[in-house]
Structure formats: C-alpha cells, structure tokens
Amino acid sequence: MNGAQVLVECLKRNGVEVIFGYPGGSVLEIYDALPASGIRHIMTRHEQAAAHAADGYARATGRVGVCLATSGPGATNLVTGLVTACMDSSPVVALTGQVVGSKLGTDAFQEADITGITLPATKHSYLVKDSRELARILCEAFHIAKSGRPGPVLVDLPRDILSGTVESFSYPSSLRLPGYRPPGPGHPGHPLQVRRAVRTLSAGCRPVVLAGGGVIASGGSQNLRELAELAGLPVTSTLMGLGAFPGNHSLWLGMAGMHGTYCANRALLEADVILAVGVRFDDRLTGRVDAFAPSATVIHVDIDAAEVGKNVTADVPIVGDAGAVLGALRAQWVEQVEGQAGTGWTASLQPWLEQLRTWQDQHPLRYTSKPGVVQPQAVIEELSRATSGRAVVVTDVGQNQMWVAQWYRVIEPRHLITSGGLGTMGFGLPAAVGVQVARPGELVVTVTGDGGILMNCQELATVAEHGLPVKIVVLNNGYLGMVRQWQDQFYGRRYSSVRLSNPDFVQLARAFGIPGRRVEQPGDVQGGLGWALAEPGPALVEFVVNPEENVLPIIPPGEGAASIIEAEPAR
C-alpha cells in the first residue's frame, strides 16, 4: 500500500462517508485512491467552501466533517473555514497536500507553512514526516476533533508520504496523549459542585437558564427541557444555543444578547441566579461585562475548563459534559428540592414568571408593515410558519442572520446552522451543501443576504451538479445591511462603501441550472416561499426587501442590556 491508500483506510475506520474537497497536484494520490474506497467525494468550487461544507456536515450530524485541499493556495483557502469551525466548536478534520519533505523550507512551488499558519486556528495541526506515523496521526486527529470541546484539526501530508510505499501499518487500538485529557462524553461534573449548584439555584427567586451551543453539541437538549419543566425554570439562549430548547415552549424567553429579545435581556439583567450551560459569555451576549447580570450568582457549566470564569466570574464552576451535567442537576433537583419542598418551589417562582410574561407582552418583537414594501422580518415569519419551525435553516451572516434568530422559531437542536463566533460572510450556501449531504431526506433552507451569497455564489454549481434540494432565500436590500445599519445608528448616517451593485440573482441561479423567482410585493411572499418549498430540487427565491430596515432590538456596542433600543429614534 502507499500512503494515500493507508490514509483512505484510516478514514474508513473513522466512519468517514463523505469528503468535501478540491483536487490539486499534491493530493492526486489521494484522489487516485478515493474511487475504490466507497467514500463519496463532493467537489466544491472553492476550498473555503469545502471547509464550510465539512463544518455544516459536522454541525448537522455531530460527526466529524472532512475537507481536503492541495498545497499552497489550496491549503490557505481553508483557513477562514477552519477559524469559523474553531470559534463555534465544530469537529472538522482538514487534510492538506504539501510539497515533498526534502523541499520543505525551500520556497518550492505551492509550498506554504500551513501547520504554522493554522496553529491558532485549530485545536491541533500535524505535519506528517514519516509514513509509519500516518495511521497514528490520523487516529489522534479524529479523536482530538471530536473529544472534549470539539474543534478542527489539520493534517498536512507531503507528497512523498502519500506516494511512498508503506510496508505495513496498524491502526492504534488506544491513544496516549500526555497533556490532553478533557472530560469525556457523559462526564457529569464533580458531584459536590452539582449539589452546590442545585442549592444555589433553589435558593434564588429570579432564576434564568442560559443555554449555549455546548448543550446542542453534547446532545443535552432533552435533559435541559426536563430540568426546566421539572423546576419551572425560564430559558434563554445565545445565538449558538438556538434549538437547545424549543422555541414554542411556554418557558422560552427568546434569544439574549445584542439583538436578543427585551424579555431575555431584561431577565438576565434582573436575575439573581443564572445557570449558564455550554456558553462562552462572548461580547455579543454580555455587552459591557460590568453591566451584565450585576445581581446574579452565576453557575457556569462547560466542558472546557479554560472558558469557565474567563469572561464572567463563575460563582459555582462545573467542568463537565453539558448534557450529562444537566442530567445530574435534574437528578439532584429531585433529591434535594422536590423531595423536601414538594410544590412550594413552583409557587415561589410565580411572581418572577408573571413578571417575565408581562415583559413579553409589553415588549414583543415587532416591525412595521409598509404598503408595497417587502419587510425582511415578514419573509422569515412566513418561512417559520410554512415549515412549522422544523426545517434545517442555514444562515449567512449579517442582518439576514439576526432576522432568522429573532423571527424563525427553532424547535429542535441542530436545526439552525450559523457562523456565530467568527461571523463569516459566505458561510451560508456552502454550509448548506454540507447539511443537505448529511441529511438528504430533510428540508434544508439557506437564508442569505445579497452580500453574503456573492462571496461563495460559485457553490451554486455544486448544488446543481449533485441535485441537492437546498432552498435558497436571498434577502436583497442592495446593501451590506448590518454595516449600513451601524453607519446609520452610530456614525451619523455617513454611509461609506456599503451600497451593492448586484447581478440578477434569478438569472444567476438559472445560469447554473437552478430555477429562480423574484418577489417584490408583500402579497407575493407566501406564494414565493411556497413555490420554492414545493420544488423537488434546488430553488432560489429572491426577495427585494426594504433597503433601510434595521435589526431591532439592539444593545449598542459597548453598552449593557439597560441601554437596549427597541424602536427607531425620531429623525
């Protein structure tokens, strides 16, 4: 066997069924070995798209996504996708070609130090220098990508490693990685801390559960729901946590953070206990940290010990698997609270729950309908209604992303796929490719802006070639909408470099063999979406929306939740 054949065999042993990639000279040995392997290869039209597709596949399934690129520019084109996956804790293994080992460091044709470049962009990066180490390294790469806090791992493969003969190889039956011992799946946290957390939670009068993407990654959504229902705890989430708790549940407060609901943000501001599970407390959630939840005792659960207390002080830290810790908290709640207090706890929560309902009633999400103008919120509201909130929605980044987060009711985990930490424009369409490949029988809709889709519109060719039935919703407002909004609200309406000169998106889709329609009137929104959803294959529907509509509410950058803006100021 040569190294490429060993590589393919190792991929199969890790359960890899599909690879997203783009061929080139340094990886031809791999492409020569792939057809006989049974592993499906999806050729994207750009390496960045291959990384996003692998990321989308991973988020949709919880399994490791795999992407493949050649050396030099092929490898460096993966970087944005790897940082995107790293920021959002998505398990991806990236395979890159490299010049032959004897040429390393000579500035050979298409040489790039991709392991050096990606060191801060991945959980780990490998350069394979000995074919006898290939199997071990691949085994480690998959283990690191999916264990602990998931993330991307890169394996750089010199051409002579791939083409050279491997006399024999053995796939490791066990791994020893000194210094890398994250809590395993199912780790319920320290029992003393779990009991302390329950005591703290039950002593509060205004508790709130804050769910993050870690709840979804750990498979902990059911445990979260059971705990919340048992204890009557209201729940909010970060952007990455949407879907961790049903968006149609009576205890759901909506998303928190910069563009979160008034009720969710006010609840965190007034809470006396916050149970934060699988969250990073990033700046888009907290705003000004010293103004975030000033009266709350914080119970922080995360599998990554480095995140606990990093941005917000953790009064009760618990390091463990989010789902398992939620299960342990539920069991302790039954033992400590239900067994002693009966129904008294639920009754004590009623004033708080009534206050939350009042805020929800008095401060709902809202927008103003305008004659002859398609409002973007109305498009997402209709999409949510038409799909009953059960489509897998993949967003791009910008206003379109926030309108989905606000107006689409996500009912189940892994049904909202979005770039949260890095905020990568161009993510939506290629990530939807990966999601649809991963879940072929499900309805996948990508919502994108006119700016975002143009960053990776070449992937319309990938969608068309493979007949992927992705529904593409383009909200075309003629601007880089979120940048325009900030210039509008915080820079005195001094607009600079935000107006877009767009192609005809319907004709662009048709050029790739994808049917398309344009909607310009409010009365046609339902019909346009209905047409796209009814198409048996891919379809693109472009909505020409209000160019001056802003995403509200908004907490101004650098401010706290008390400064939330719910309506446009008078001009």
Side-chain angles (χ1 to χ4, degrees), residues 191 194-195 198 327-338:
V194 170
R195 286 197 287 272
V198 169
L329 289 169
R330 181 188 183 282
Q332 277 297 311
W333 188 275
V334 171
E335 180 180 326
Q336 292 182 223
V337 182
E338 290 292 297

Side-chain angles (χ1 to χ4, degrees), residues 224-282:
L224 171 61
R225 179 170 182 168
E226 290 178 1
L227 175 63
E229 290 177 343
L230 173 69
L233 301 171
V235 181
T236 182
S237 85
T238 64
L239 172 65
M240 297 304 299
L242 288 171
F245 193 78
N248 58 357
H249 199 285
S250 61
L251 290 169
W252 174 242
L253 306 179
M255 180 182 73
M258 177 175 278
H259 291 293
T261 66
Y262 177 94
C263 181
N265 282 305
R266 185 65 183 272
L268 291 173
L269 187 65
E270 301 290 341
D272 59 0
V273 180
I274 294 175
L275 171 59
V277 188
V279 300
R280 295 187 296 116
F281 286 111
D282 73 290

Side-chain angles (χ1 to χ4, degrees), residues 361-534:
D361 292 341
Q362 293 179 350
H363 301 272
L365 292 171
R366 56 168 66 93
Y367 64 92
T368 303
S369 297
K370 299 181 179 180
V373 177
V374 177
Q375 292 290 68
Q377 302 96 323
V379 177
I380 306 306
E381 197 172 25
E382 174 59 24
L383 177 64
S384 185
R385 186 204 63 78
T387 63
S388 301
R390 297 188 183 278
V392 185
V393 178
V394 187
T395 82
D396 216 283
V397 167
Q399 287 182 315
N400 66 89
Q401 178 187 37
M402 291 298 103
W403 282 319
V404 169
Q406 291 178 337
W407 292 94
Y408 192 90
R409 289 204 171 201
V410 187
I411 310 299
E412 300 175 33
R414 302 193 187 278
H415 275 61
L416 178 66
I417 311 294
T418 192
S419 170
L422 193 62
T424 306
M425 286 183 66
F427 174 83
L429 182 58
V433 167
V435 172
Q436 190 73 82
V437 169
R439 297 162 74 163
E442 297 191 43
L443 174 62
V444 177
V445 181
T446 183
V447 178
T448 179
D450 44 336
I453 193 171
L454 286 178
M455 287 198 168
N456 270 313
C457 63
Q458 76 283 340
E459 297 314 309
L460 291 169
T462 309
V463 170
E465 178 187 352
H466 295 277
L468 301 174
V470 177
K471 314 308 177 189
I472 305 161
V473 175
V474 180
L475 301 180
N476 180 2
N477 60 11
Y479 283 99
L480 294 174
M482 192 61 84
V483 181
R484 182 207 57 79
Q485 176 172 339
W486 279 45
Q487 290 178 345
D488 176 29
Q489 293 184 307
F490 310 124
Y491 290 85
R493 309 195 83 183
R494 295 185 297 276
Y495 301 129
S496 174
S497 302
V498 289
R499 194 75 173 91
L500 297 177
S501 178
N502 287 321
D504 184 323
F505 289 108
V506 173
Q507 292 300 326
L508 179 65
R510 290 174 179 171
F512 286 99
I514 297 172
R517 285 192 183 182
R518 179 178 296 107
V519 173
E520 301 183 71
Q521 294 298 319
D524 297 331
V525 168
Q526 183 177 356
L529 280 174
W531 164 79
L533 297 176

